[in-house]
Amino acid sequence: MQTAFATAHDGSKLNNRAPAGVDSSSWISWACYSVGFVLAASPSAAQDMRGGGLGVAVLLTSVAAFFIATLLIQRHMRLSLAASSFGHPAQLVTDGVFRYSCNPIYVAFLLPLLSLGYYSPVAAFVASLTYIAAMTVFVIKPEERVLGEEFGAEYQAYKAQTPRWFGLL
């Protein structure tokens, strides 16, 4: 669940930091992308990348689309990229894109993962499935516990009517 979290970490609720002070969702996201990229590696993919072929444009466009989506979602949440993503939630955001997914930024990262399908549909599938599972266990469930504690019945009602990811997920 993406919500507006306080920018100063108070240490009492959700410490979602991993090595080097980088948010664990970032580590998981880019680790899954790296695994997918390695799985998609083939001689034809390497040749396409060296030549700056269409696949490179697909990958770069998907990463750019993810960052644009993230900026728009964070703007809706009234957060800057410098805001921390852990600590004390300041407000529950349930409108806009949050009507369709409790985790729209995490859903947006599926764009770069799925773009790996240009080179290997299997790599894109494995990377996406690994990403969804890891994010759910290590990031989303802890966030949901904090939001449940902070917003009680309001959050439970929101969670009951809005998918964690999208559709039935």
Side-chain angles (χ1 to χ4, degrees):
M1 166 85 186
Q2 300 289 320
T3 66
F5 283 90
T7 57
H9 175 54
D10 67 4
S12 64
K13 290 291 178 190
L14 181 62
N15 186 349
N16 202 13
R17 291 287 172 168
V22 177
D23 186 86
S24 60
S25 65
S26 294
W27 282 107
I28 292 168
S29 300
W30 293 107
C32 289
Y33 188 79
S34 298
V35 167
F37 195 83
V38 168
L39 291 174
S42 68
S44 62
Q47 182 179 0
D48 180 73
M49 286 184 205
R50 280 192 301 275
L54 178 61
V56 174
V58 168
L59 295 177
L60 292 176
T61 301
S62 70
V63 171
F66 162 70
F67 282 114
I68 290 167
T70 299
L71 288 171
L72 293 172
I73 293 166
Q74 287 188 333
R75 181 174 182 214
H76 175 74
M77 295 167 52
R78 295 172 190 84
L79 287 178
S80 71
L81 285 176
S84 69
S85 59
F86 62 93
H88 183 77
Q91 66 185 23
L92 183 63
V93 180
T94 61
D95 61 342
V97 71
F98 288 90
R99 288 181 296 200
Y100 309 105
S101 171
C102 291
N103 302 287
I105 292 175
Y106 302 154
V107 171
F109 194 75
L110 288 170
L111 290 170
L113 291 170
L114 294 173
S115 74
L116 294 169
Y118 179 85
Y119 294 116
S120 170
V122 171
F125 177 77
V126 169
S128 297
L129 191 61
T130 302
Y131 169 74
I132 290 170
M135 289 296 287
T136 299
V137 170
F138 298 111
V139 177
I140 294 171
K141 287 190 176 196
E143 288 179 354
E144 289 175 341
R145 280 190 293 277
V146 170
L147 294 168
E149 291 171 10
E150 292 293 321
F151 300 105
E154 179 187 8
Y155 174 69
Q156 295 307 324
Y158 169 70
K159 186 177 167 187
Q161 68 184 7
T162 309
R164 179 182 280 154
W165 285 93
F166 53 87
L168 299 175
L169 288 176

Short mmCIF file of all heavy atoms in Angstrom, two decimals, residues 50-89:
data_model
loop_
_atom_site.label_atom_id
_atom_site.label_comp_id
_atom_site.label_asym_id
_atom_site.label_seq_id
_atom_site.Cartn_x
_atom_site.Cartn_y
_atom_site.Cartn_z
N ARG A 50 23.77 -4.21 -28.47
CA ARG A 50 24.97 -3.55 -29.01
C ARG A 50 24.62 -2.63 -30.16
O ARG A 50 25.22 -1.56 -30.31
CB ARG A 50 25.99 -4.59 -29.47
CG ARG A 50 26.82 -5.19 -28.35
CD ARG A 50 28.01 -5.98 -28.88
NE ARG A 50 27.63 -7.07 -29.77
CZ ARG A 50 27.29 -8.30 -29.35
NH1 ARG A 50 27.29 -8.58 -28.07
NH2 ARG A 50 26.96 -9.24 -30.21
N GLY A 51 23.65 -3.02 -30.95
CA GLY A 51 23.26 -2.22 -32.10
C GLY A 51 22.21 -1.17 -31.79
O GLY A 51 21.78 -0.43 -32.67
N GLY A 52 21.77 -1.11 -30.53
CA GLY A 52 20.74 -0.13 -30.16
C GLY A 52 19.42 -0.39 -30.86
O GLY A 52 18.72 0.53 -31.27
N GLY A 53 19.05 -1.67 -30.96
CA GLY A 53 17.84 -2.06 -31.66
C GLY A 53 16.55 -1.70 -30.93
O GLY A 53 16.56 -1.04 -29.88
N LEU A 54 15.46 -2.17 -31.48
CA LEU A 54 14.14 -1.88 -30.94
C LEU A 54 14.01 -2.34 -29.49
O LEU A 54 13.37 -1.66 -28.68
CB LEU A 54 13.07 -2.55 -31.80
CG LEU A 54 11.62 -2.38 -31.35
CD1 LEU A 54 11.25 -0.90 -31.34
CD2 LEU A 54 10.68 -3.17 -32.23
N GLY A 55 14.60 -3.45 -29.12
CA GLY A 55 14.52 -3.94 -27.75
C GLY A 55 15.06 -2.95 -26.74
O GLY A 55 14.51 -2.79 -25.65
N VAL A 56 16.14 -2.27 -27.10
CA VAL A 56 16.71 -1.26 -26.20
C VAL A 56 15.70 -0.14 -25.99
O VAL A 56 15.49 0.32 -24.86
CB VAL A 56 18.04 -0.71 -26.77
CG1 VAL A 56 18.56 0.45 -25.92
CG2 VAL A 56 19.08 -1.82 -26.85
N ALA A 57 15.05 0.27 -27.07
CA ALA A 57 14.02 1.33 -26.95
C ALA A 57 12.87 0.86 -26.08
O ALA A 57 12.35 1.63 -25.27
CB ALA A 57 13.53 1.72 -28.34
N VAL A 58 12.47 -0.40 -26.23
CA VAL A 58 11.39 -0.95 -25.40
C VAL A 58 11.77 -0.91 -23.93
O VAL A 58 10.99 -0.47 -23.07
CB VAL A 58 11.02 -2.39 -25.85
CG1 VAL A 58 10.11 -3.07 -24.84
CG2 VAL A 58 10.38 -2.38 -27.23
N LEU A 59 12.98 -1.38 -23.60
CA LEU A 59 13.44 -1.40 -22.21
C LEU A 59 13.54 0.01 -21.63
O LEU A 59 13.05 0.27 -20.53
CB LEU A 59 14.79 -2.11 -22.10
CG LEU A 59 14.83 -3.59 -22.45
CD1 LEU A 59 16.26 -4.11 -22.35
CD2 LEU A 59 13.90 -4.41 -21.59
N LEU A 60 14.16 0.91 -22.36
CA LEU A 60 14.33 2.28 -21.87
C LEU A 60 13.00 3.01 -21.72
O LEU A 60 12.77 3.73 -20.74
CB LEU A 60 15.26 3.07 -22.79
CG LEU A 60 16.73 2.62 -22.78
CD1 LEU A 60 17.53 3.40 -23.82
CD2 LEU A 60 17.35 2.72 -21.41
N THR A 61 12.10 2.80 -22.66
CA THR A 61 10.78 3.43 -22.59
C THR A 61 10.00 2.91 -21.39
O THR A 61 9.33 3.68 -20.69
CB THR A 61 9.99 3.18 -23.89
OG1 THR A 61 10.74 3.73 -24.99
CG2 THR A 61 8.61 3.80 -23.84
N SER A 62 10.11 1.62 -21.11
CA SER A 62 9.37 1.07 -19.96
C SER A 62 9.91 1.60 -18.64
O SER A 62 9.14 1.88 -17.73
CB SER A 62 9.41 -0.46 -19.98
OG SER A 62 10.72 -0.94 -19.70
N VAL A 63 11.22 1.77 -18.53
CA VAL A 63 11.80 2.33 -17.31
C VAL A 63 11.38 3.79 -17.17
O VAL A 63 11.00 4.24 -16.08
CB VAL A 63 13.34 2.16 -17.29
CG1 VAL A 63 13.96 2.94 -16.14
CG2 VAL A 63 13.71 0.68 -17.19
N ALA A 64 11.42 4.54 -18.27
CA ALA A 64 10.98 5.94 -18.23
C ALA A 64 9.51 6.03 -17.85
O ALA A 64 9.11 6.88 -17.03
CB ALA A 64 11.23 6.60 -19.58
N ALA A 65 8.68 5.15 -18.41
CA ALA A 65 7.24 5.14 -18.09
C ALA A 65 7.03 4.85 -16.60
O ALA A 65 6.16 5.46 -15.96
CB ALA A 65 6.50 4.12 -18.94
N PHE A 66 7.82 3.94 -16.04
CA PHE A 66 7.73 3.66 -14.61
C PHE A 66 8.03 4.90 -13.79
O PHE A 66 7.29 5.25 -12.86
CB PHE A 66 8.67 2.51 -14.22
CG PHE A 66 8.95 2.46 -12.74
CD1 PHE A 66 7.96 2.07 -11.85
CD2 PHE A 66 10.18 2.84 -12.24
CE1 PHE A 66 8.20 2.06 -10.48
CE2 PHE A 66 10.44 2.81 -10.88
CZ PHE A 66 9.43 2.43 -10.00
N PHE A 67 9.13 5.60 -14.11
CA PHE A 67 9.49 6.78 -13.33
C PHE A 67 8.46 7.90 -13.49
O PHE A 67 8.14 8.59 -12.52
CB PHE A 67 10.90 7.27 -13.68
CG PHE A 67 11.97 6.45 -13.03
CD1 PHE A 67 12.83 5.67 -13.78
CD2 PHE A 67 12.12 6.43 -11.65
CE1 PHE A 67 13.81 4.89 -13.18
CE2 PHE A 67 13.09 5.67 -11.04
CZ PHE A 67 13.95 4.89 -11.80
N ILE A 68 7.91 8.06 -14.67
CA ILE A 68 6.86 9.07 -14.87
C ILE A 68 5.63 8.71 -14.05
O ILE A 68 5.05 9.57 -13.38
CB ILE A 68 6.54 9.22 -16.37
CG1 ILE A 68 7.72 9.89 -17.07
CG2 ILE A 68 5.25 10.02 -16.58
CD1 ILE A 68 7.66 9.83 -18.59
N ALA A 69 5.23 7.43 -14.10
CA ALA A 69 4.08 6.99 -13.31
C ALA A 69 4.32 7.22 -11.82
O ALA A 69 3.44 7.69 -11.10
CB ALA A 69 3.78 5.51 -13.58
N THR A 70 5.53 6.91 -11.37
CA THR A 70 5.88 7.11 -9.96
C THR A 70 5.78 8.59 -9.57
O THR A 70 5.21 8.92 -8.52
CB THR A 70 7.30 6.59 -9.68
OG1 THR A 70 7.33 5.19 -9.96
CG2 THR A 70 7.71 6.82 -8.24
N LEU A 71 6.31 9.47 -10.41
CA LEU A 71 6.22 10.90 -10.12
C LEU A 71 4.78 11.37 -10.04
O LEU A 71 4.40 12.13 -9.15
CB LEU A 71 6.97 11.70 -11.18
CG LEU A 71 8.49 11.61 -11.12
CD1 LEU A 71 9.10 12.26 -12.37
CD2 LEU A 71 9.03 12.24 -9.87
N LEU A 72 3.95 10.91 -10.97
CA LEU A 72 2.54 11.31 -10.97
C LEU A 72 1.80 10.77 -9.75
O LEU A 72 1.00 11.49 -9.14
CB LEU A 72 1.86 10.86 -12.26
CG LEU A 72 2.34 11.54 -13.54
CD1 LEU A 72 1.74 10.88 -14.77
CD2 LEU A 72 2.04 13.03 -13.50
N ILE A 73 2.08 9.53 -9.39
CA ILE A 73 1.42 8.94 -8.22
C ILE A 73 1.88 9.66 -6.95
O ILE A 73 1.06 9.99 -6.08
CB ILE A 73 1.69 7.43 -8.14
CG1 ILE A 73 1.00 6.71 -9.31
CG2 ILE A 73 1.21 6.86 -6.81
CD1 ILE A 73 1.46 5.28 -9.53
N GLN A 74 3.18 9.91 -6.85
CA GLN A 74 3.67 10.61 -5.66
C GLN A 74 3.15 12.04 -5.60
O GLN A 74 2.89 12.56 -4.52
CB GLN A 74 5.19 10.57 -5.60
CG GLN A 74 5.70 9.20 -5.24
CD GLN A 74 7.19 9.18 -4.99
OE1 GLN A 74 7.94 9.98 -5.52
NE2 GLN A 74 7.61 8.23 -4.18
N ARG A 75 2.99 12.66 -6.74
CA ARG A 75 2.41 14.01 -6.75
C ARG A 75 0.98 13.95 -6.21
O ARG A 75 0.56 14.80 -5.43
CB ARG A 75 2.43 14.58 -8.16
CG ARG A 75 1.87 15.96 -8.22
CD ARG A 75 2.03 16.57 -9.58
NE ARG A 75 1.50 17.92 -9.56
CZ ARG A 75 0.91 18.48 -10.56
NH1 ARG A 75 0.80 17.83 -11.71
NH2 ARG A 75 0.43 19.69 -10.47
N HIS A 76 0.25 12.94 -6.65
CA HIS A 76 -1.11 12.76 -6.15
C HIS A 76 -1.10 12.56 -4.63
O HIS A 76 -1.99 13.03 -3.93
CB HIS A 76 -1.78 11.56 -6.85
CG HIS A 76 -3.12 11.24 -6.32
ND1 HIS A 76 -4.23 12.02 -6.58
CD2 HIS A 76 -3.55 10.24 -5.52
CE1 HIS A 76 -5.28 11.50 -5.98
NE2 HIS A 76 -4.89 10.42 -5.32
N MET A 77 -0.08 11.86 -4.15
CA MET A 77 0.04 11.61 -2.72
C MET A 77 0.65 12.80 -1.98
O MET A 77 0.77 12.78 -0.77
CB MET A 77 0.93 10.38 -2.48
CG MET A 77 0.35 9.10 -3.00
SD MET A 77 1.56 7.74 -3.05
CE MET A 77 2.21 7.74 -1.40
N ARG A 78 1.11 13.79 -2.73
CA ARG A 78 1.79 14.97 -2.19
C ARG A 78 3.13 14.62 -1.54
O ARG A 78 3.49 15.12 -0.49
CB ARG A 78 0.89 15.72 -1.22
CG ARG A 78 -0.32 16.31 -1.90
CD ARG A 78 -1.27 16.88 -0.87
NE ARG A 78 -2.54 17.24 -1.45
CZ ARG A 78 -3.55 16.40 -1.65
NH1 ARG A 78 -3.44 15.15 -1.32
NH2 ARG A 78 -4.68 16.82 -2.18
N LEU A 79 3.83 13.72 -2.18
CA LEU A 79 5.17 13.33 -1.72
C LEU A 79 6.20 13.67 -2.78
O LEU A 79 5.93 13.59 -3.96
CB LEU A 79 5.26 11.81 -1.49
CG LEU A 79 4.56 11.23 -0.29
CD1 LEU A 79 4.71 9.72 -0.28
CD2 LEU A 79 5.13 11.80 0.99
N SER A 80 7.40 13.98 -2.34
CA SER A 80 8.50 14.16 -3.28
C SER A 80 9.29 12.86 -3.32
O SER A 80 9.14 12.00 -2.46
CB SER A 80 9.40 15.31 -2.83
OG SER A 80 10.11 14.92 -1.67
N LEU A 81 10.15 12.74 -4.31
CA LEU A 81 11.01 11.56 -4.37
C LEU A 81 11.95 11.49 -3.18
O LEU A 81 12.44 10.44 -2.83
CB LEU A 81 11.81 11.54 -5.66
CG LEU A 81 11.02 11.17 -6.91
CD1 LEU A 81 11.91 11.28 -8.14
CD2 LEU A 81 10.46 9.77 -6.79
N ALA A 82 12.19 12.63 -2.53
CA ALA A 82 13.07 12.64 -1.36
C ALA A 82 12.38 12.16 -0.09
O ALA A 82 13.01 11.89 0.90
CB ALA A 82 13.61 14.06 -1.14
N ALA A 83 11.05 12.06 -0.14
CA ALA A 83 10.31 11.62 1.05
C ALA A 83 10.64 10.17 1.35
O ALA A 83 10.80 9.35 0.47
CB ALA A 83 8.81 11.77 0.83
N SER A 84 10.73 9.86 2.63
CA SER A 84 11.01 8.48 3.01
C SER A 84 9.75 7.65 2.80
O SER A 84 8.64 8.16 2.80
CB SER A 84 11.45 8.40 4.46
OG SER A 84 10.38 8.70 5.32
N SER A 85 9.93 6.37 2.64
CA SER A 85 8.78 5.50 2.45
C SER A 85 8.61 4.59 3.66
O SER A 85 8.20 3.46 3.54
CB SER A 85 8.94 4.67 1.17
OG SER A 85 10.12 3.91 1.26
N PHE A 86 8.98 5.09 4.80
CA PHE A 86 8.79 4.33 6.03
C PHE A 86 8.53 5.32 7.14
O PHE A 86 8.68 6.51 6.98
CB PHE A 86 10.02 3.47 6.33
CG PHE A 86 11.27 4.26 6.55
CD1 PHE A 86 11.66 4.65 7.83
CD2 PHE A 86 12.06 4.63 5.49
CE1 PHE A 86 12.82 5.38 8.03
CE2 PHE A 86 13.21 5.37 5.67
CZ PHE A 86 13.59 5.74 6.95
N GLY A 87 8.12 4.79 8.27
CA GLY A 87 7.86 5.65 9.40
C GLY A 87 6.38 5.73 9.71
O GLY A 87 5.64 4.78 9.53
N HIS A 88 5.95 6.87 10.13
CA HIS A 88 4.59 7.09 10.58
C HIS A 88 3.73 7.59 9.41
O HIS A 88 3.98 8.65 8.87
CB HIS A 88 4.60 8.11 11.71
CG HIS A 88 3.25 8.37 12.29
ND1 HIS A 88 2.65 7.51 13.16
CD2 HIS A 88 2.39 9.39 12.09
CE1 HIS A 88 1.46 8.00 13.49
NE2 HIS A 88 1.29 9.14 12.85
N PRO A 89 2.69 6.83 9.00
CA PRO A 89 1.84 7.29 7.91
C PRO A 89 1.09 8.56 8.31
O PRO A 89 0.50 8.63 9.38
CB PRO A 89 0.85 6.15 7.69
CG PRO A 89 1.36 5.01 8.47
CD PRO A 89 2.30 5.54 9.51
#
